[in-house]
PDB file of all heavy atoms in Angstrom:
ATOM      1  N   GLY A  98      -4.202  -3.607  15.697  1.00  0.00           N
ATOM      2  CA  GLY A  98      -5.300  -3.291  14.772  1.00  0.00           C
ATOM      3  C   GLY A  98      -5.395  -1.841  14.434  1.00  0.00           C
ATOM      4  O   GLY A  98      -5.955  -1.409  13.445  1.00  0.00           O
ATOM      5  N   SER A  99      -4.727  -0.939  15.170  1.00  0.00           N
ATOM      6  CA  SER A  99      -4.793   0.459  14.994  1.00  0.00           C
ATOM      7  C   SER A  99      -4.096   0.874  13.688  1.00  0.00           C
ATOM      8  O   SER A  99      -4.344   1.945  13.100  1.00  0.00           O
ATOM      9  CB  SER A  99      -4.109   1.278  16.106  1.00  0.00           C
ATOM     10  OG  SER A  99      -2.719   0.945  16.263  1.00  0.00           O
ATOM     11  N   ILE A 100      -3.254   0.024  13.075  1.00  0.00           N
ATOM     12  CA  ILE A 100      -2.668   0.263  11.797  1.00  0.00           C
ATOM     13  C   ILE A 100      -3.641   0.503  10.733  1.00  0.00           C
ATOM     14  O   ILE A 100      -3.383   1.234   9.828  1.00  0.00           O
ATOM     15  CB  ILE A 100      -1.695  -0.982  11.387  1.00  0.00           C
ATOM     16  CG1 ILE A 100      -0.951  -0.658  10.113  1.00  0.00           C
ATOM     17  CG2 ILE A 100      -2.477  -2.254  11.314  1.00  0.00           C
ATOM     18  CD1 ILE A 100      -0.017   0.447  10.120  1.00  0.00           C
ATOM     19  N   MET A 101      -4.830   0.004  10.872  1.00  0.00           N
ATOM     20  CA  MET A 101      -5.832   0.120   9.806  1.00  0.00           C
ATOM     21  C   MET A 101      -6.627   1.421   9.834  1.00  0.00           C
ATOM     22  O   MET A 101      -7.499   1.643   9.018  1.00  0.00           O
ATOM     23  CB  MET A 101      -6.825  -1.080   9.849  1.00  0.00           C
ATOM     24  CG  MET A 101      -6.172  -2.420   9.409  1.00  0.00           C
ATOM     25  SD  MET A 101      -7.281  -3.806   9.376  1.00  0.00           S
ATOM     26  CE  MET A 101      -7.470  -4.090  11.150  1.00  0.00           C
ATOM     27  N   VAL A 102      -6.226   2.337  10.695  1.00  0.00           N
ATOM     28  CA  VAL A 102      -6.770   3.742  10.621  1.00  0.00           C
ATOM     29  C   VAL A 102      -6.055   4.462   9.444  1.00  0.00           C
ATOM     30  O   VAL A 102      -6.613   5.456   8.950  1.00  0.00           O
ATOM     31  CB  VAL A 102      -6.741   4.507  11.894  1.00  0.00           C
ATOM     32  CG1 VAL A 102      -7.422   3.754  13.091  1.00  0.00           C
ATOM     33  CG2 VAL A 102      -5.264   4.855  12.269  1.00  0.00           C
ATOM     34  N   VAL A 103      -4.886   4.007   9.072  1.00  0.00           N
ATOM     35  CA  VAL A 103      -4.081   4.784   8.109  1.00  0.00           C
ATOM     36  C   VAL A 103      -4.706   4.813   6.785  1.00  0.00           C
ATOM     37  O   VAL A 103      -4.797   5.856   6.188  1.00  0.00           O
ATOM     38  CB  VAL A 103      -2.656   4.134   8.033  1.00  0.00           C
ATOM     39  CG1 VAL A 103      -1.851   4.900   7.001  1.00  0.00           C
ATOM     40  CG2 VAL A 103      -1.941   4.258   9.407  1.00  0.00           C
ATOM     41  N   GLY A 104      -5.250   3.691   6.262  1.00  0.00           N
ATOM     42  CA  GLY A 104      -5.783   3.643   4.911  1.00  0.00           C
ATOM     43  C   GLY A 104      -6.967   4.537   4.721  1.00  0.00           C
ATOM     44  O   GLY A 104      -6.985   5.387   3.789  1.00  0.00           O
ATOM     45  N   PRO A 105      -7.959   4.528   5.574  1.00  0.00           N
ATOM     46  CA  PRO A 105      -9.096   5.344   5.427  1.00  0.00           C
ATOM     47  C   PRO A 105      -8.781   6.912   5.583  1.00  0.00           C
ATOM     48  O   PRO A 105      -9.329   7.709   4.939  1.00  0.00           O
ATOM     49  CB  PRO A 105     -10.118   4.911   6.483  1.00  0.00           C
ATOM     50  CG  PRO A 105      -9.388   3.947   7.327  1.00  0.00           C
ATOM     51  CD  PRO A 105      -8.251   3.403   6.572  1.00  0.00           C
ATOM     52  N   LEU A 106      -7.881   7.135   6.479  1.00  0.00           N
ATOM     53  CA  LEU A 106      -7.531   8.563   6.766  1.00  0.00           C
ATOM     54  C   LEU A 106      -6.706   9.095   5.488  1.00  0.00           C
ATOM     55  O   LEU A 106      -6.927  10.229   5.101  1.00  0.00           O
ATOM     56  CB  LEU A 106      -6.686   8.684   7.986  1.00  0.00           C
ATOM     57  CG  LEU A 106      -7.421   8.511   9.300  1.00  0.00           C
ATOM     58  CD1 LEU A 106      -6.461   8.505  10.523  1.00  0.00           C
ATOM     59  CD2 LEU A 106      -8.491   9.570   9.532  1.00  0.00           C
ATOM     60  N   LEU A 107      -5.878   8.253   4.932  1.00  0.00           N
ATOM     61  CA  LEU A 107      -5.138   8.609   3.766  1.00  0.00           C
ATOM     62  C   LEU A 107      -6.142   8.888   2.571  1.00  0.00           C
ATOM     63  O   LEU A 107      -5.986   9.853   1.873  1.00  0.00           O
ATOM     64  CB  LEU A 107      -4.145   7.586   3.397  1.00  0.00           C
ATOM     65  CG  LEU A 107      -3.361   7.831   2.119  1.00  0.00           C
ATOM     66  CD1 LEU A 107      -2.362   9.006   2.314  1.00  0.00           C
ATOM     67  CD2 LEU A 107      -2.489   6.550   1.817  1.00  0.00           C
ATOM     68  N   ALA A 108      -7.088   8.032   2.478  1.00  0.00           N
ATOM     69  CA  ALA A 108      -8.050   8.208   1.363  1.00  0.00           C
ATOM     70  C   ALA A 108      -8.875   9.433   1.512  1.00  0.00           C
ATOM     71  O   ALA A 108      -9.091  10.201   0.475  1.00  0.00           O
ATOM     72  CB  ALA A 108      -9.025   6.994   1.304  1.00  0.00           C
ATOM     73  N   ARG A 109      -9.315   9.758   2.682  1.00  0.00           N
ATOM     74  CA  ARG A 109     -10.263  10.878   2.888  1.00  0.00           C
ATOM     75  C   ARG A 109      -9.572  12.260   3.125  1.00  0.00           C
ATOM     76  O   ARG A 109     -10.013  13.286   2.700  1.00  0.00           O
ATOM     77  CB  ARG A 109     -11.150  10.535   4.105  1.00  0.00           C
ATOM     78  CG  ARG A 109     -12.306  11.533   4.327  1.00  0.00           C
ATOM     79  CD  ARG A 109     -13.278  11.058   5.333  1.00  0.00           C
ATOM     80  NE  ARG A 109     -14.076  12.211   5.793  1.00  0.00           N
ATOM     81  CZ  ARG A 109     -14.694  12.212   7.017  1.00  0.00           C
ATOM     82  NH1 ARG A 109     -14.613  11.210   7.824  1.00  0.00           N
ATOM     83  NH2 ARG A 109     -15.385  13.230   7.370  1.00  0.00           N
ATOM     84  N   PHE A 110      -8.381  12.172   3.870  1.00  0.00           N
ATOM     85  CA  PHE A 110      -7.766  13.485   4.220  1.00  0.00           C
ATOM     86  C   PHE A 110      -6.361  13.598   3.615  1.00  0.00           C
ATOM     87  O   PHE A 110      -5.728  14.654   3.823  1.00  0.00           O
ATOM     88  CB  PHE A 110      -7.671  13.610   5.724  1.00  0.00           C
ATOM     89  CG  PHE A 110      -8.999  13.517   6.483  1.00  0.00           C
ATOM     90  CD1 PHE A 110      -9.451  12.388   7.085  1.00  0.00           C
ATOM     91  CD2 PHE A 110      -9.842  14.674   6.434  1.00  0.00           C
ATOM     92  CE1 PHE A 110     -10.667  12.363   7.700  1.00  0.00           C
ATOM     93  CE2 PHE A 110     -11.046  14.588   7.043  1.00  0.00           C
ATOM     94  CZ  PHE A 110     -11.464  13.468   7.663  1.00  0.00           C
ATOM     95  N   GLY A 111      -5.843  12.645   2.921  1.00  0.00           N
ATOM     96  CA  GLY A 111      -4.529  12.718   2.284  1.00  0.00           C
ATOM     97  C   GLY A 111      -3.330  12.516   3.194  1.00  0.00           C
ATOM     98  O   GLY A 111      -2.226  12.785   2.862  1.00  0.00           O
TER      99      GLY A 111
END
Side-chain angles (χ1 to χ4, degrees):
S99 63
I100 181 64
M101 288 181 288
V102 304
V103 176
L106 290 173
L107 179 64
R109 188 171 162 204
F110 299 103

